[in-house]
């Protein structure tokens, strides 16, 4: 499950982030007339590599980026932070306890 964010301050602190455009969800629903951008905070370099690989393997994503600082939220974007507890497929693991 993703949480909608509107400022960088709402993005959880993490050493790494993977960001991407979700082409399936862009342009409709809550992202109507906007680009749906996902932000995936990662606790380790290994986790970031798994998330990045998974994101690049999907056909409904583009502009996959690896970041070491909190990403900016641009005009025209509907930004969502993915939670490793609720988006386990993205993180390649079972929920964190």
């Amino acid at each position: 499950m993703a949480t909608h964010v509107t400022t960088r301050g709402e993005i959880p602190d993490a050493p790494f982030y993977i960001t991407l455009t979700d082409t399936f969800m862009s342009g409709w629903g809550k992202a109507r007339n906007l680009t749906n951008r996902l932000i995936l905070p990662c606790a380790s370099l290994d986790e970031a590599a798994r998330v990045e690989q998974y994101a690049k393997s999907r056909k409904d994503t583009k502009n996959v980026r690896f970041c070491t600082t909190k990403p900016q939220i641009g005009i025209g974007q509907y930004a969502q932070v993915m939670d490793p507890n609720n988006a386990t497929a993205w993180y390649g693991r079972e929920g964190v306890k």
Side-chain angles (χ1 to χ4, degrees):
M1 169 159 280
T3 302
H4 177 236
V5 295
T6 58
T7 67
R8 286 179 84 197
E10 295 175 293
I11 300 170
D13 292 332
F16 308 102
Y17 301 88
I18 302 299
T19 65
L20 58 105
T21 300
D22 180 344
T23 60
F24 181 76
M25 297 300 290
S26 291
W28 70 281
K30 292 182 179 181
R32 185 173 186 84
N33 299 319
L34 301 170
T35 299
N36 193 57
R37 185 168 188 216
L38 300 183
I39 302 167
L40 298 110
C42 298
S44 70
L45 189 56
D46 287 341
E47 183 173 71
R50 282 194 311 272
V51 172
E52 182 180 34
Q53 181 179 15
Y54 181 74
K56 287 181 175 180
S57 75
R58 294 176 57 105
K59 295 188 185 327
D60 59 349
T61 63
K62 65 179 186 178
N63 303 321
V64 177
R65 304 281 189 263
F66 178 94
C67 307
T68 57
T69 60
K70 284 187 183 184
Q72 297 284 344
I73 298 172
I75 296 171
Q77 293 181 339
Y78 184 82
Q80 298 181 77
V81 174
M82 301 296 283
D83 180 337
N85 292 309
N86 298 322
T88 56
W90 285 93
Y91 288 86
R93 61 182 177 163
E94 292 301 315
V96 178
K97 299 202 174 24

